[in-house]
Amino acid sequence: MSPRVQVYVIAALLALVGAGLTAYKNLELGFPLLPGEYRTVWTIEAKVGFDADGGPVKAALTLPREQRNMEILGETFSSSGFGFYIAREDDAYRAIWSRRAARGPQSLFYQLDVYQRPGAALAQPLDLSTEIQKPFLGAREQEAVRLAIYSLVEQARERSSDVESLTTQLLFELNDDENQDRNLIFRHYADRSFVDVALLVLATADIPAHRIRGLYLEDDRRRLSPEDLLEVYDGKRWIVFEPSSGQPGVPENFFIWQRGGKSLLDLEGGRNSQVTFSVIANDVPARDVSIRSTKDEKDALVDFSIYSLPIEQQSIFKLILLVPVGALVVVLLRVFVGLRTSGTFMPVLLAIAFIETQLITGLAIFTLILILGLWVRFYLSRLNLLLVSRIAAVVVTVVIIMGAISVVSYKLGIEQALTVTFFPMIILAWTIERMSIVWEEDGPYEVVVQSGGSLLVAILAWWVMTNRYIEHWTFNFPELLLVLLAFILVVGNYTGYRLSELMRFRPLVR
């Protein structure tokens, strides 16, 4: 295999890996491809209120479990004066608050951040009890109610073909105010909720069912009571129904807090307990949501990445990751255009300095240091110093010039010039040394050409590196550097004419 073919094969593999990892982070982990994207994160606060009797108090609140379309990003608990821990009971998690003695009104808080994502709300299957407890209607005064329930069930059974359609018909009948059987049932169970009555009717129809508690995610809602859905078992899977409409499926923006299992709240040592909810929406950067959602899962692509570093190191790497982009600009301008620069990648370092100093200020500082450094270098050449001593002297001179510029600019109130320290001293010293040699060997014209080419490439690299899309892609998708490397390898095989050569040989072509 020839070297050229090897280059193309390696470039193809690098591009495929880089693009694949980028697609995975975007599609599976939710990292945004474009900067400025935000996600709606819902903050839900559950307030447990009760009156303590004066003795020991223990409150147990059922916590929500993970669900497919809702990602719990974080949770906090507030319990002044109470001990707190989380216990697992019957495949469910419960928040336990306890205190040796308490009297009067008490308030406990549980808060979580939720991000809604596409997908089905519930995962199938779930190990829930399918036991049916039929209502006891043996008394003579309850005979009419029993007949009404059986009549309602038989009517619905005749209009259905399976458990799902039977449940829908039963809910339609229970929501029909003109149905006499329905009105009789609700008059008898006047102290019960609609869902309680629906569960009794479903049990009579031999359909396993239970209650789902939750709330609708709507912005700026306070003191909400949990709302109920119904979930029935058709012999193969659990199906959720909205009680008032009878439609199957979990409603949009409905967050399931409790699915089957125990009661929502158990209280010992108190009375008048209640659980209320408050909901508020927050717009959070999409990248932060993705990092928080994968934090607990410890996805390797995120866990072993720049995001795992401290913030200070992340800010440093955010700048370092732009260097390959500047290198690509240098490669394109030197290979395809044919610009001559002082050093191969010195313009990239200048572009990084321009990012910190701003472009105009950086150009002025660089030009001033270069002119003063060349003047000192020409004087040192008359002293016939050794190369190492001469370069060291130039480095010291550059440091002195940078310090002088900083002090003078501070006294004059020019704060932007204080960023002169971002210029790499050694690179400036070597640039001055190289320019002086070029001046002696090829004359001042070549110095102007190389200096101008270096500044032009540095300005173009700065313009590309400060683009908000480039900054976003390099920091959030560093895998794209593999694609960039593949492109540089392909460009390295170019052996055609440069644009500057076409201009040079234009008279010959004519």
Side-chain angles (χ1 to χ4, degrees):
M1 185 181 295
S2 65
R4 180 180 292 270
V5 175
Q6 293 183 38
V7 167
Y8 288 132
V9 171
I10 295 174
L13 292 176
L14 290 174
L16 183 62
V17 173
L21 293 176
T22 301
Y24 173 78
K25 289 182 68 173
N26 174 248
L27 300 177
E28 296 296 329
L29 303 184
F31 282 78
L33 280 177
L34 299 178
E37 291 188 20
Y38 284 81
R39 301 283 189 266
T40 299
V41 174
W42 301 93
T43 299
I44 305 173
E45 182 183 75
K47 178 183 178 182
V48 178
F50 61 92
D51 294 325
D53 296 332
V57 177
K58 183 178 181 180
L61 174 68
T62 299
L63 300 181
R65 67 173 73 227
E66 292 288 344
Q67 43 197 285
R68 282 184 176 178
N69 68 331
M70 297 288 180
E71 182 77 27
I72 298 178
L73 303 179
E75 54 186 353
T76 56
F77 301 87
S78 177
S79 53
S80 177
F82 281 77
F84 174 81
Y85 65 95
I86 297 178
R88 182 168 183 172
E89 301 177 2
D90 300 331
D91 198 29
Y93 290 95
R94 311 200 85 192
I96 311 295
W97 289 274
S98 60
R99 189 171 179 177
R100 179 64 62 181
R103 180 180 296 277
Q106 306 292 328
S107 296
L108 308 174
F109 296 92
Y110 166 68
Q111 182 176 297
L112 73 161
D113 294 329
V114 175
Y115 166 61
Q116 185 176 10
R117 56 188 180 185
L122 302 178
Q124 297 289 346
L126 183 64
D127 185 18
L128 295 174
S129 174
T130 57
E131 181 182 355
I132 299 175
Q133 295 182 354
K134 293 188 177 182
F136 177 74
L137 298 171
R140 182 173 299 178
E141 62 272 11
Q142 294 179 332
E143 181 66 19
V145 178
R146 185 178 67 84
L147 293 177
I149 293 178
Y150 277 105
S151 174
L152 203 68
V153 171
E154 290 303 319
Q155 292 177 16
R157 199 183 300 276
E158 292 177 359
R159 301 172 185 174
S160 62
S161 59
D162 53 19
V163 172
E164 181 176 349
S165 58
L166 174 57
T167 304
T168 300
Q169 290 299 322
L170 284 174
L171 292 176
F172 284 167
E173 298 293 342
L174 291 175
N175 282 286
D176 186 4
D177 294 337
E178 299 180 358
N179 190 301
Q180 298 299 322
D181 294 330
R182 177 262 183 201
N183 293 334
L184 177 61
I185 296 170
F186 275 96
R187 279 197 301 269
H188 180 76
Y189 295 108
D191 59 336
R192 299 196 182 187
S193 67
F194 180 90
V195 173
D196 290 331
V197 176
L199 288 172
L200 292 176
V201 174
L202 289 169
T204 305
D206 294 323
I207 299 177
H210 59 248
R211 182 196 317 269
I212 288 181
R213 289 188 176 94
L215 59 152
Y216 289 91
L217 299 180
E218 299 176 359
D219 191 20
D220 200 16
R221 301 283 304 277
R222 288 172 289 179
R223 294 186 293 274
L224 300 174
S225 297
E227 302 193 39
D228 295 336
L229 301 179
L230 286 171
E231 189 171 24
V232 304
Y233 187 67
D234 67 351
K236 297 181 180 179
R237 61 192 180 101
W238 290 95
I239 306 175
V240 180
F241 288 87
E242 206 285 317
S244 60
S245 65
Q247 296 298 322
V250 180
E252 187 179 1
N253 289 347
F254 188 86
F255 179 72
I256 298 175
W257 192 279
Q258 182 187 18
R259 187 184 179 195
K262 294 186 176 182
S263 59
L264 179 63
L265 175 66
D266 292 329
L267 178 65
E268 299 176 9
R271 62 187 184 277
N272 301 326
S273 63
Q274 62 176 350
V275 181
T276 58
F277 297 90
S278 300
V279 181
I280 189 171
N282 303 286
D283 289 332
V284 178
R287 184 180 69 90
D288 296 343
V289 174
S290 300
I291 294 176
R292 291 173 63 184
S293 63
T294 58
K295 184 177 180 180
D296 294 334
E297 299 175 3
K298 291 295 181 183
D299 191 281
L301 197 59
V302 177
D303 191 29
F304 293 93
S305 68
I306 298 173
Y307 308 121
S308 61
L309 298 176
I311 299 299
E312 182 179 359
Q313 276 69 37
Q314 288 190 36
S315 62
I316 295 174
F317 270 97
K318 189 174 184 179
L319 184 62
I320 292 176
L321 289 172
L322 293 173
V323 173
V325 178
L328 176 63
V329 174
V330 174
V331 170
L332 293 177
L333 292 178
R334 294 198 58 166
V335 173
F336 293 116
V337 179
L339 286 178
R340 298 198 297 273
T341 60
S342 178
T344 306
F345 293 105
M346 187 271 287
V348 179
L349 300 177
L350 287 180
I352 294 176
F354 292 160
I355 292 176
E356 301 294 338
T357 63
Q358 301 302 318
L359 180 61
I360 302 301
T361 304
L363 286 173
I365 294 175
F366 175 75
T367 303
L368 179 60
I369 294 177
L370 185 62
I371 292 175
L372 293 177
L374 282 174
W375 179 78
V376 172
R377 167 60 179 80
F378 288 140
Y379 176 76
L380 292 175
S381 63
R382 298 179 181 179
L383 302 180
N384 296 324
L385 298 177
L386 295 175
L387 176 63
V388 176
S389 299
R390 188 170 66 240
I391 294 177
V394 173
V395 170
V396 174
T397 304
V398 169
V399 173
I400 294 174
I401 294 174
M402 294 171 66
I405 292 176
S406 298
V407 173
V408 173
S409 62
Y410 176 74
K411 293 298 183 180
L412 297 177
I414 307 175
E415 296 183 0
Q416 287 184 337
L418 296 176
T419 57
V420 65
T421 54
F422 287 104
F423 279 93
M425 296 176 296
I426 304 301
I427 297 300
L428 286 176
W430 273 107
T431 301
I432 293 171
E433 177 68 21
R434 179 180 177 84
M435 288 298 182
S436 63
I437 294 175
V438 172
W439 187 299
E440 295 173 353
E441 294 180 353
D442 301 323
Y445 175 77
E446 186 63 23
V447 172
V448 174
V449 170
Q450 291 191 15
S451 300
S454 299
L455 289 178
L456 177 60
V457 174
I459 292 172
L460 292 176
W462 167 86
W463 179 73
V464 174
M465 294 164 67
T466 53
N467 183 277
R468 60 193 297 259
Y469 294 97
I470 299 297
E471 290 179 337
H472 175 80
W473 290 331
T474 54
F475 184 69
N476 295 285
F477 300 96
E479 301 79 17
L480 288 175
L481 295 182
L482 297 177
V483 180
L484 187 146
L485 175 59
F487 183 73
I488 291 177
L489 293 178
V490 173
V491 172
N493 271 334
Y494 179 75
T495 57
Y497 287 104
R498 299 180 175 89
L499 292 178
S500 59
E501 292 175 340
L502 294 178
M503 296 293 295
R504 176 185 175 189
F505 294 114
R506 185 172 58 179
L508 183 60
V509 174
R510 290 179 179 176

